[in-house]
Amino acid sequence: MAACGSNDPKQSAGGQASPEPGNSQPGGSSDPVTLKIVYKDEGTVNPVSVKFFETLEKALQKDEGLNVKFELVDLAQGSYAENLNLLLLGGTIPDIIYFQGGDQQISGQGLLEDLTPYIEKSTHIKNIMEPHNTARMTSYPYLLWIKPLAPKVPVIRADWFHAMDSSKALMENATIDNYYAFFKELVEKKPGKGKPNYALTAAGDIAEINFIFNTAFGLDTTWLKKDDGTYEYAKVSQKEKEKLTFYHKLYKEGLLDPQFITKQWDTKEDAFYKGEAAVITGTAGKILDLYDGRMQQLGGKEAKLVVLPPAKGEGQGFGATDVTKESRGLAISSQSPHKDIAFKVFDYLASPKGQMLDRLGFENEHYSVADGKIELKDKYYGEWYARFWEPVEMKSEIPLKTPLLGEPGSASLKMASDYYTEDNNFIIPEQFVANWDAMNNLYKEYSMDFIGGKRDLSEFDKFVEEWYAAGGKEITQYANENIK
């Protein structure tokens, strides 16, 4: 736990009890309140992270009178979600926690703070939330993640893209067949002087690939409405079988990276930068600008990224947006003695001054101010990303001369907005959670075996039977009773 240096964590600098919600406030205390924070990629070995939080400490002191010291908690390499849960279940619970999966197990034990009352009393946070943020917080009030709606979208380096005869047809009409032809030509032509080895890779499972192809196969919601008006889970539908058959074809013909199941996010990106894979998906917006900057560092300006469209078939899009809860985000420990201070940090980062740091980086390094306007530098586009909030409209005290996003980031967000639809899924009730996990593991096992050829697709009906027997019957009944 973070230790508080003040004599009484329930007292503010003025000697008054701190306002609800929360129970500590440093005010002008000479000793800083230490806030422990665990955040993917933001550890003590990352000098940019260290500088960011040191700069944030100074800004909080100057602008808000908050005397805060951040203590970054390092995690081992590997799966962030798994290592984080090991940390938390082992009894080390930082004040501020970034989750990228695994949060429901922790919130179910009462270890995460309900942020609703904090948001209601906030000065800035409540004014930058989008409708989907509000909807998600209403049903699951533990994770906050104010970012643009940003699915994962496919990208390829421009020089390889323009070397393909099939690229024009793909951009004009992104059918499944045209995607297949494009992938096949990439591997056969090898525009990178013997590379790529394969057209497409992903990090660990098919979720990233599904952003490209699910909607084209008619898998446009979690629960598909059948002709008789009832709902069935998309992953046990015949449409899912057709999609897996296509993925198996890509795998069998060497178009899909045969090692994708063992890759993590970093090895996936490394394969892309080295030219082993021609296409990967990345989160729309700033992340794609970072990919673009890195690729141009390695391959020159001709290697800038091109954003590819989602596949077209029964529908077209990057998949429906889940509005039940944030899939990732920042939480505050219910065990922290400094909950109110932690949220004050959140609220400050939503203010115009906080946004200057979080969105723009360090002055004279990522941006400069000239003639009363902010001009972003190449290092901003190639390195910087907001650690906290990215509201659609950024309000800064100084106007921007240059746009916040580069070409790939802007194009990807526009494409995501153009194809936006809402999902019809729901948070799985507690009585079904254990079975749901087992059912998802069953799907993952079968789907990987189908794609890799360890099982023939003729066994798909066997998988469906096992899925219903493992709890699918009950959850499907629940879905049909509750989906409006």
Side-chain angles (χ1 to χ4, degrees):
M1 291 294 179
C4 179
S6 60
N7 293 328
D8 184 353
K10 294 184 179 180
Q11 298 293 315
S12 68
Q16 301 298 314
S18 63
E20 291 296 331
N23 57 0
S24 78
Q25 184 175 353
S29 171
S30 60
D31 295 325
V33 164
T34 298
L35 293 178
K36 284 190 176 182
I37 180 169
V38 60
Y39 203 141
K40 185 175 182 289
D41 303 329
E42 307 297 336
T44 58
V45 297
N46 183 342
V48 179
S49 299
V50 173
K51 184 175 180 180
F52 171 80
F53 284 100
E54 288 177 347
T55 305
L56 178 57
E57 290 169 0
K58 296 174 184 176
L60 287 165
Q61 179 73 61
K62 177 183 176 183
D63 299 331
E64 300 292 328
L66 292 177
N67 194 1
V68 173
K69 178 71 176 177
F70 292 100
E71 182 178 323
L72 300 180
V73 178
D74 292 318
L75 289 183
Q77 293 293 316
S79 170
Y80 176 79
E82 291 178 7
N83 288 332
L84 175 61
N85 271 19
L86 287 174
L87 177 81
L88 301 178
L89 295 175
T92 300
I93 307 177
D95 303 273
I96 298 173
I97 309 165
Y98 170 78
F99 283 96
Q100 195 167 307
D103 53 281
Q104 285 181 265
Q105 180 182 3
I106 304 303
S107 65
Q109 297 184 41
L111 297 177
L112 302 184
E113 185 78 354
D114 181 343
L115 300 179
T116 304
Y118 297 82
I119 293 170
E120 291 174 350
K121 295 182 179 181
S122 67
T123 302
H124 305 287
I125 287 281
K126 63 186 176 185
N127 296 324
I128 67 169
M129 291 176 66
E130 293 294 313
H132 69 273
N133 298 131
T134 302
R136 290 169 176 173
M137 292 301 292
T138 298
S139 62
Y140 188 81
Y142 308 109
L143 289 189
L144 188 59
W145 195 239
I146 303 172
K147 301 277 184 175
L149 284 171
K152 293 201 171 184
V153 303
V155 289
I156 184 173
R157 50 188 292 172
D159 50 353
W160 291 13
F161 173 80
H162 293 302
M164 298 298 102
D165 296 329
S166 55
S167 59
K168 185 173 185 292
L170 177 66
M171 296 303 279
E172 291 178 350
N173 190 22
T175 63
I176 296 167
D177 287 343
N178 282 346
Y179 250 110
Y180 169 75
F182 181 69
F183 285 168
K184 196 167 183 65
E185 186 184 6
L186 277 166
V187 173
E188 290 176 350
K189 186 172 283 188
K190 296 189 182 300
K193 299 179 180 179
K195 293 181 178 180
N197 301 334
Y198 29 81
L200 179 67
T201 193
D205 58 28
I206 62 175
E208 294 183 342
I209 306 173
N210 288 340
F211 279 101
I212 308 174
F213 293 108
N214 257 9
T215 302
F217 282 95
L219 300 161
D220 54 352
T221 52
T222 298
W223 294 89
L224 302 179
K225 195 170 188 178
K226 300 191 295 184
D227 292 340
D228 64 2
T230 63
Y231 290 92
E232 70 173 344
Y233 187 51
K235 290 179 180 178
V236 297
S237 68
Q238 286 302 300
K239 293 177 180 181
E240 178 73 19
K241 181 179 179 181
E242 292 170 8
K243 183 194 74 178
L244 293 175
T245 301
F246 175 66
Y247 288 178
H248 171 63
K249 180 180 179 181
L250 297 180
Y251 182 94
K252 184 178 180 181
E253 296 185 16
L255 308 183
L256 174 61
D257 176 10
Q259 302 300 320
F260 80 92
I261 190 63
T262 61
K263 278 185 164 55
Q264 301 289 336
W265 65 270
D266 53 345
T267 51
K268 174 199 80 170
E269 293 173 0
D270 193 49
F272 183 57
Y273 295 137
K274 289 180 177 178
E276 295 169 4
V279 176
I280 61 170
T281 61
T283 305
K286 183 61 184 178
I287 296 300
L288 289 191
D289 282 348
L290 296 176
Y291 284 4
D292 185 52
R294 178 61 175 159
M295 187 62 86
Q296 289 190 53
Q297 285 178 359
L298 297 171
K301 292 190 178 299
E302 64 274 12
K304 67 180 182 179
L305 298 187
V306 173
V307 178
L308 301 177
K312 181 180 180 182
E314 289 193 34
Q316 187 175 18
F318 295 114
T321 299
D322 181 356
V323 294
T324 59
K325 66 181 290 291
E326 301 291 354
S327 61
R328 64 178 68 191
L330 287 150
I332 295 175
S333 165
S334 64
Q335 310 303 299
S336 170
H338 313 303
K339 295 187 284 287
D340 59 329
I341 302 304
F343 193 84
K344 285 179 182 293
V345 173
F346 287 2
D347 203 35
Y348 172 74
L349 287 160
S351 72
K353 284 187 171 68
Q355 283 281 283
M356 284 281 289
L357 170 61
D358 195 23
R359 298 289 291 277
L360 305 182
F362 309 134
E363 187 173 1
N364 299 322
E365 187 173 344
H366 299 103
Y367 70 92
S368 59
V369 179
D371 300 324
K373 292 187 177 181
I374 296 170
E375 186 167 358
L376 301 173
K377 297 177 177 288
D378 288 343
K379 193 172 183 180
Y380 165 83
Y381 292 107
E383 173 186 280
W384 193 259
Y385 56 89
R387 271 95 180 140
F388 289 82
W389 320 130
E390 291 183 87
V392 174
E393 180 184 359
M394 179 187 166
K395 295 180 180 179
S396 63
E397 297 184 327
I398 305 172
L400 288 167
K401 180 180 178 181
T402 46
L404 284 171
L405 292 175
E407 187 175 342
S410 297
S412 60
L413 285 181
K414 182 182 185 306
M415 202 176 287
S417 177
D418 289 344
Y419 291 113
Y420 172 73
T421 58
E422 288 189 4
D423 204 353
N424 62 358
N425 62 333
F426 47 84
I427 294 178
I428 301 301
E430 185 176 355
Q431 67 267 30
F432 298 132
V433 168
N435 282 352
W436 185 249
D437 289 341
M439 291 150 62
N440 282 330
N441 289 334
L442 184 70
Y443 166 78
K444 186 171 184 178
E445 176 187 344
Y446 266 96
S447 62
M448 292 302 102
D449 286 350
F450 288 145
I451 294 168
K454 293 182 180 179
R455 294 178 187 262
D456 191 270
L457 264 298
S458 61
E459 294 187 58
F460 187 81
D461 290 343
K462 178 183 176 184
F463 152 67
V464 173
E465 290 176 5
E466 291 186 25
W467 187 87
Y468 277 110
K473 181 179 179 181
E474 290 78 12
I475 195 68
T476 299
Q477 180 179 343
Y478 180 89
N480 276 282
E481 291 172 351
N482 287 276
I483 294 176
K484 306 300 182 184

